[in-house]
PDB file of all heavy atoms in Angstrom:
ATOM      1  N   TYR A 217     -51.043 -16.828  43.486  1.00 58.00           N
ATOM      2  CA  TYR A 217     -50.763 -17.639  44.666  1.00 58.00           C
ATOM      3  C   TYR A 217     -52.077 -18.042  45.324  1.00 58.00           C
ATOM      4  O   TYR A 217     -52.768 -17.227  45.932  1.00 58.00           O
ATOM      5  CB  TYR A 217     -49.883 -16.872  45.651  1.00 58.00           C
ATOM      6  CG  TYR A 217     -49.479 -17.680  46.861  1.00 58.00           C
ATOM      7  CD1 TYR A 217     -48.960 -18.966  46.718  1.00 58.00           C
ATOM      8  CD2 TYR A 217     -49.626 -17.177  48.142  1.00 58.00           C
ATOM      9  CE1 TYR A 217     -48.593 -19.722  47.812  1.00 58.00           C
ATOM     10  CE2 TYR A 217     -49.264 -17.925  49.246  1.00 58.00           C
ATOM     11  CZ  TYR A 217     -48.739 -19.192  49.076  1.00 58.00           C
ATOM     12  OH  TYR A 217     -48.388 -19.944  50.165  1.00 58.00           O
ATOM     13  N   ALA A 218     -52.434 -19.307  45.224  1.00 51.00           N
ATOM     14  CA  ALA A 218     -53.762 -19.777  45.599  1.00 51.00           C
ATOM     15  C   ALA A 218     -54.065 -19.608  47.081  1.00 51.00           C
ATOM     16  O   ALA A 218     -55.220 -19.418  47.470  1.00 51.00           O
ATOM     17  CB  ALA A 218     -53.914 -21.246  45.216  1.00 51.00           C
ATOM     18  N   ALA A 219     -53.028 -19.689  47.944  1.00 52.00           N
ATOM     19  CA  ALA A 219     -53.280 -19.664  49.378  1.00 52.00           C
ATOM     20  C   ALA A 219     -53.503 -18.267  49.933  1.00 52.00           C
ATOM     21  O   ALA A 219     -53.881 -18.108  51.083  1.00 52.00           O
ATOM     22  CB  ALA A 219     -52.113 -20.324  50.116  1.00 52.00           C
ATOM     23  N   ALA A 220     -53.269 -17.233  49.135  1.00 53.00           N
ATOM     24  CA  ALA A 220     -53.472 -15.865  49.618  1.00 53.00           C
ATOM     25  C   ALA A 220     -54.966 -15.575  49.745  1.00 53.00           C
ATOM     26  O   ALA A 220     -55.764 -16.039  48.937  1.00 53.00           O
ATOM     27  CB  ALA A 220     -52.823 -14.870  48.650  1.00 53.00           C
ATOM     28  N   PRO A 221     -55.359 -14.807  50.767  1.00 53.00           N
ATOM     29  CA  PRO A 221     -56.771 -14.437  50.909  1.00 53.00           C
ATOM     30  C   PRO A 221     -57.275 -13.713  49.665  1.00 53.00           C
ATOM     31  O   PRO A 221     -56.533 -12.958  49.028  1.00 53.00           O
ATOM     32  CB  PRO A 221     -56.754 -13.501  52.124  1.00 53.00           C
ATOM     33  CG  PRO A 221     -55.518 -13.867  52.878  1.00 53.00           C
ATOM     34  CD  PRO A 221     -54.511 -14.281  51.839  1.00 53.00           C
ATOM     35  N   LYS A 222     -58.527 -13.926  49.314  1.00 62.00           N
ATOM     36  CA  LYS A 222     -59.084 -13.339  48.098  1.00 62.00           C
ATOM     37  C   LYS A 222     -58.975 -11.821  48.090  1.00 62.00           C
ATOM     38  O   LYS A 222     -58.662 -11.206  47.068  1.00 62.00           O
ATOM     39  CB  LYS A 222     -60.533 -13.766  47.923  1.00 62.00           C
ATOM     40  CG  LYS A 222     -60.709 -15.241  47.567  1.00 62.00           C
ATOM     41  CD  LYS A 222     -62.169 -15.578  47.330  1.00 62.00           C
ATOM     42  CE  LYS A 222     -62.334 -17.055  46.947  1.00 62.00           C
ATOM     43  NZ  LYS A 222     -63.756 -17.411  46.715  1.00 62.00           N
ATOM     44  N   ALA A 223     -59.248 -11.191  49.225  1.00 57.00           N
ATOM     45  CA  ALA A 223     -59.190  -9.732  49.286  1.00 57.00           C
ATOM     46  C   ALA A 223     -57.784  -9.216  49.025  1.00 57.00           C
ATOM     47  O   ALA A 223     -57.587  -8.210  48.340  1.00 57.00           O
ATOM     48  CB  ALA A 223     -59.681  -9.240  50.649  1.00 57.00           C
ATOM     49  N   VAL A 224     -56.780  -9.942  49.563  1.00 53.00           N
ATOM     50  CA  VAL A 224     -55.388  -9.543  49.353  1.00 53.00           C
ATOM     51  C   VAL A 224     -55.006  -9.710  47.888  1.00 53.00           C
ATOM     52  O   VAL A 224     -54.377  -8.835  47.276  1.00 53.00           O
ATOM     53  CB  VAL A 224     -54.454 -10.368  50.256  1.00 53.00           C
ATOM     54  CG1 VAL A 224     -52.995 -10.108  49.918  1.00 53.00           C
ATOM     55  CG2 VAL A 224     -54.716 -10.046  51.712  1.00 53.00           C
ATOM     56  N   LYS A 225     -55.374 -10.841  47.281  1.00 56.00           N
ATOM     57  CA  LYS A 225     -55.079 -11.067  45.862  1.00 56.00           C
ATOM     58  C   LYS A 225     -55.709  -9.976  44.997  1.00 56.00           C
ATOM     59  O   LYS A 225     -55.087  -9.463  44.068  1.00 56.00           O
ATOM     60  CB  LYS A 225     -55.572 -12.444  45.434  1.00 56.00           C
ATOM     61  CG  LYS A 225     -54.732 -13.594  45.972  1.00 56.00           C
ATOM     62  CD  LYS A 225     -54.986 -14.872  45.208  1.00 56.00           C
ATOM     63  CE  LYS A 225     -56.375 -15.405  45.457  1.00 56.00           C
ATOM     64  NZ  LYS A 225     -56.566 -16.734  44.803  1.00 56.00           N
ATOM     65  N   ARG A 226     -56.955  -9.621  45.315  1.00 62.00           N
ATOM     66  CA  ARG A 226     -57.647  -8.601  44.534  1.00 62.00           C
ATOM     67  C   ARG A 226     -56.920  -7.265  44.624  1.00 62.00           C
ATOM     68  O   ARG A 226     -56.727  -6.570  43.625  1.00 62.00           O
ATOM     69  CB  ARG A 226     -59.079  -8.446  45.043  1.00 62.00           C
ATOM     70  CG  ARG A 226     -59.902  -7.418  44.253  1.00 62.00           C
ATOM     71  CD  ARG A 226     -61.314  -7.315  44.777  1.00 62.00           C
ATOM     72  NE  ARG A 226     -61.330  -6.802  46.157  1.00 62.00           N
ATOM     73  CZ  ARG A 226     -61.707  -7.528  47.208  1.00 62.00           C
ATOM     74  NH1 ARG A 226     -62.078  -8.784  47.059  1.00 62.00           N
ATOM     75  NH2 ARG A 226     -61.689  -7.007  48.422  1.00 62.00           N
ATOM     76  N   ASP A 227     -56.479  -6.908  45.819  1.00 62.00           N
ATOM     77  CA  ASP A 227     -55.822  -5.621  46.029  1.00 62.00           C
ATOM     78  C   ASP A 227     -54.491  -5.543  45.309  1.00 62.00           C
ATOM     79  O   ASP A 227     -54.211  -4.591  44.582  1.00 62.00           O
ATOM     80  CB  ASP A 227     -55.609  -5.371  47.526  1.00 62.00           C
ATOM     81  CG  ASP A 227     -56.910  -5.047  48.244  1.00 62.00           C
ATOM     82  OD1 ASP A 227     -57.912  -4.763  47.552  1.00 62.00           O
ATOM     83  OD2 ASP A 227     -56.926  -5.095  49.489  1.00 62.00           O
ATOM     84  N   TRP A 228     -53.619  -6.587  45.479  1.00 60.00           N
ATOM     85  CA  TRP A 228     -52.294  -6.426  44.897  1.00 60.00           C
ATOM     86  C   TRP A 228     -52.285  -6.724  43.400  1.00 60.00           C
ATOM     87  O   TRP A 228     -51.521  -6.133  42.641  1.00 60.00           O
ATOM     88  CB  TRP A 228     -51.242  -7.174  45.701  1.00 60.00           C
ATOM     89  CG  TRP A 228     -50.838  -8.567  45.342  1.00 60.00           C
ATOM     90  CD1 TRP A 228     -50.191  -8.987  44.217  1.00 60.00           C
ATOM     91  CD2 TRP A 228     -50.997  -9.735  46.163  1.00 60.00           C
ATOM     92  NE1 TRP A 228     -49.947 -10.341  44.281  1.00 60.00           N
ATOM     93  CE2 TRP A 228     -50.419 -10.825  45.459  1.00 60.00           C
ATOM     94  CE3 TRP A 228     -51.549  -9.961  47.417  1.00 60.00           C
ATOM     95  CZ2 TRP A 228     -50.398 -12.114  45.974  1.00 60.00           C
ATOM     96  CZ3 TRP A 228     -51.505 -11.247  47.923  1.00 60.00           C
ATOM     97  CH2 TRP A 228     -50.947 -12.305  47.210  1.00 60.00           C
ATOM     98  N   GLN A 229     -53.166  -7.582  42.927  1.00 65.00           N
ATOM     99  CA  GLN A 229     -53.247  -7.788  41.490  1.00 65.00           C
ATOM    100  C   GLN A 229     -53.894  -6.580  40.814  1.00 65.00           C
ATOM    101  O   GLN A 229     -53.535  -6.215  39.699  1.00 65.00           O
ATOM    102  CB  GLN A 229     -54.010  -9.073  41.196  1.00 65.00           C
ATOM    103  CG  GLN A 229     -53.227 -10.313  41.606  1.00 65.00           C
ATOM    104  CD  GLN A 229     -53.942 -11.614  41.271  1.00 65.00           C
ATOM    105  OE1 GLN A 229     -54.941 -11.617  40.570  1.00 65.00           O
ATOM    106  NE2 GLN A 229     -53.439 -12.712  41.786  1.00 65.00           N
ATOM    107  N   GLY A 230     -54.838  -5.946  41.504  1.00 72.00           N
ATOM    108  CA  GLY A 230     -55.425  -4.724  40.959  1.00 72.00           C
ATOM    109  C   GLY A 230     -54.386  -3.635  40.787  1.00 72.00           C
ATOM    110  O   GLY A 230     -54.377  -2.908  39.790  1.00 72.00           O
ATOM    111  N   LEU A 231     -53.467  -3.523  41.747  1.00 78.00           N
ATOM    112  CA  LEU A 231     -52.377  -2.552  41.642  1.00 78.00           C
ATOM    113  C   LEU A 231     -51.509  -2.864  40.436  1.00 78.00           C
ATOM    114  O   LEU A 231     -51.134  -1.963  39.670  1.00 78.00           O
ATOM    115  CB  LEU A 231     -51.539  -2.568  42.925  1.00 78.00           C
ATOM    116  CG  LEU A 231     -50.208  -1.804  42.889  1.00 78.00           C
ATOM    117  CD1 LEU A 231     -50.438  -0.327  42.632  1.00 78.00           C
ATOM    118  CD2 LEU A 231     -49.449  -2.014  44.208  1.00 78.00           C
TER     119      LEU A 231
END
Side-chain angles (χ1 to χ4, degrees):
Y217 184 49
K222 290 183 179 180
V224 172
K225 287 197 292 186
R226 182 179 64 247
D227 287 346
W228 94 66
Q229 291 182 10
L231 169 62

